[in-house]
C-alpha cells in the first residue's frame, strides 16, 4: 500500500523558515517524480513544486520561486520542502503527492501538514 | 502559464441525477486534463487523467470528455458519496495549474 506521511508543519512568524518532510512507503520511491501541493484554508488547490525521480528536473510555481526549495533523499525515501522568507499567504495545508506518469497527474497524496504563518 | 477556468463554482443536485462540470484551458492542452475529487477533511483523489481515462477503482458513473481547450466531467446517477468538491488540472505544461474547483452539494 502506497503511503505518504508529511511532517514538520507548525506556526511560524513571517520571514522565518520551515522545512517539511514526506516519508514514502509501499512503492519504489526512487522511480517516481514527487510534488508539493498546498491548499489555503477554505480555498482550492495550488501546485507548489515538482522534483523528478533523480532530482535532475525541478520546477516551482511562480509564487514560491526563489523562496522554496524542493529536494529528496532516495536512500531515505524522503521528500523535503525547505521554505524560507515565509509570508502570511503561504499559510496552507501542504500535501506531498506522487507524480503518476508522463501525462503529469498526481496519483497518491499524503494526508497533509498544516503551515501557519503569523506573528 | 496555462490558466484553467472551471465552472460552475457550485452546483446543487439530487441523488440519482446527472451533472456536468466543465473546465476551459487558456490554450490547447492536447487532452492532458486531469480530474480530482476532494471530500471535506480529506486529501484529493485522482478520478480521471488524459481527459478520459478512469483511474483504477473509480466507478464507471464518472466519465471525462473533451479536447483542445474544453473538457468536461460527467457524473451519472449521483450517489450520496459523490457530493464533494471537484478540481481539474492542466497535465501538459510543467506548471501544473488547477481549476478553482466546483463544490457539488445535495439539493
Amino acid at each position: 500500500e502506497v503511503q505518504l506521511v508529511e511532517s514538520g508543519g507548525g506556526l511560524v512568524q513571517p520571514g522565518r523558515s520551515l522545512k517539511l518532510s514526506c516519508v514514502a512507503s509501499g512503492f519504489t520511491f526512487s522511480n517516481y517524480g514527487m510534488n508539493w501541493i498546498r491548499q489555503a484554508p477554505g480555498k482550492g488547490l495550488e501546485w507548489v513544486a515538482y522534483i523528478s525521480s533523480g532530482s535532475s528536473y525541478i520546477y516551482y510555481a511562480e509564487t514560491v520561486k526563489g523562496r522554496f526549495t524542493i529536494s529528496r533523499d532516495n536512500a531515505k525515501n524522503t521528500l523535503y520542502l525547505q521554505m524560507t522568507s515565509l509570508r502570511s499567504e503561504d499559510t496552507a495545508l501542504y500535501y506531498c503527492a506522487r507524480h503518476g506518469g508522463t501525462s503529469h497527474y498526481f496519483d497518491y497524496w499524503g494526508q497533509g501538514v498544516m503551515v501557519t504563518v503569523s506573528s | 502559464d496555462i490558466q484553467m477556468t472551471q465552472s460552475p463554482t457550485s452546483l446543487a443536485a439530487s441523488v440519482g441525477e446527472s451533472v456536468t462540470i466543465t473546465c476551459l484551458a487558456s490554450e490547447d492542452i492536447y487532452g492532458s486534463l486531469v480530474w480530482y475529487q476532494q471530500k471535506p477533511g480529506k486529501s484529493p483523489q485522482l478520478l480521471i487523467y488524459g481527459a478520459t481515462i478512469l483511474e483504477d477503482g473509480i466507478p464507471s458513473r464518472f466519465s471525462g470528455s473533451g479536447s483542445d481547450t474544453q473538457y468536461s466531467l460527467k457524473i451519472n446517477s449521483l450517489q450520496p458519496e459523490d457530493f464533494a468538491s471537484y478540481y481539474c488540472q492542466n497535465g501538459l505544461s510543467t506548471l501544473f495549474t488547477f481549476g478553482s474547483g466546483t463544490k457539488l452539494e445535495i439539493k
Side-chain angles (χ1 to χ4, degrees):
Chain A
E1 179 193 6
V2 171
Q3 284 198 315
L4 299 168
V5 180
E6 303 95 335
S7 62
L11 174 63
V12 61
Q13 293 179 327
R16 303 298 291 265
S17 300
L18 200 63
K19 187 172 185 177
L20 306 182
S21 299
C22 170
V23 176
S25 60
F27 66 103
T28 304
F29 181 70
S30 58
N31 287 350
Y32 288 85
M34 297 294 296
N35 299 267
W36 287 100
I37 297 158
R38 68 184 181 183
Q39 187 169 34
K43 302 297 185 182
L45 300 168
E46 180 188 15
W47 170 79
V48 173
Y50 163 84
I51 185 168
S52 62
S53 58
S55 304
S56 297
Y57 300 96
I58 289 175
Y59 309 115
Y60 296 100
E62 288 297 324
T63 52
V64 306
K65 191 178 290 185
R67 299 188 299 122
F68 290 11
T69 302
I70 189 172
S71 63
R72 63 191 296 160
D73 185 335
N74 286 343
K76 295 183 178 180
N77 289 348
T78 304
L79 175 72
Y80 301 102
L81 185 68
Q82 176 69 55
M83 304 183 291
T84 65
S85 302
L86 282 161
R87 307 166 180 168
S88 58
E89 54 263 38
D90 296 318
T91 294
L93 187 64
Y94 284 74
Y95 296 102
C96 71
R98 193 178 82 168
H99 211 79
T102 54
S103 184
H104 300 307
Y105 54 85
F106 315 120
D107 59 357
Y108 287 94
W109 299 60
Q111 83 288 349
V113 61
M114 189 68 202
V115 173
T116 303
V117 184
S118 175
S119 54
Chain B
D1 297 4
I2 297 175
Q3 306 303 314
M4 308 300 290
T5 303
Q6 195 173 332
S7 62
T9 302
S10 62
L11 179 59
S14 301
V15 172
E17 289 185 356
S18 295
V19 297
T20 298
I21 298 168
T22 63
C23 191
L24 179 68
S26 59
E27 60 187 80
D28 192 338
I29 58 171
Y30 302 96
S32 297
L33 193 282
V34 188
W35 292 99
Y36 302 89
Q37 177 193 67
Q38 186 179 32
K39 297 179 180 179
K42 300 295 186 181
S43 304
Q45 180 182 19
L46 175 65
L47 294 177
I48 289 169
Y49 59 95
T52 62
I53 302 170
L54 209 61
E55 172 69 343
D56 290 346
I58 301 302
S60 59
R61 63 179 179 274
F62 291 89
S63 64
S65 64
S67 62
D68 301 329
T69 62
Q70 297 189 24
Y71 299 87
S72 297
L73 171 69
K74 186 174 184 180
I75 314 171
N76 287 317
S77 187
L78 278 167
Q79 299 300 300
E81 60 268 27
D82 299 337
F83 293 92
S85 292
Y86 293 85
Y87 294 90
C88 63
Q89 176 232 319
N90 148 42
L92 178 67
S93 72
T94 52
L95 300 180
F96 308 120
T97 44
F98 287 91
S100 56
T102 296
K103 187 174 184 179
L104 177 57
E105 299 175 303
I106 298 177
K107 186 185 288 184

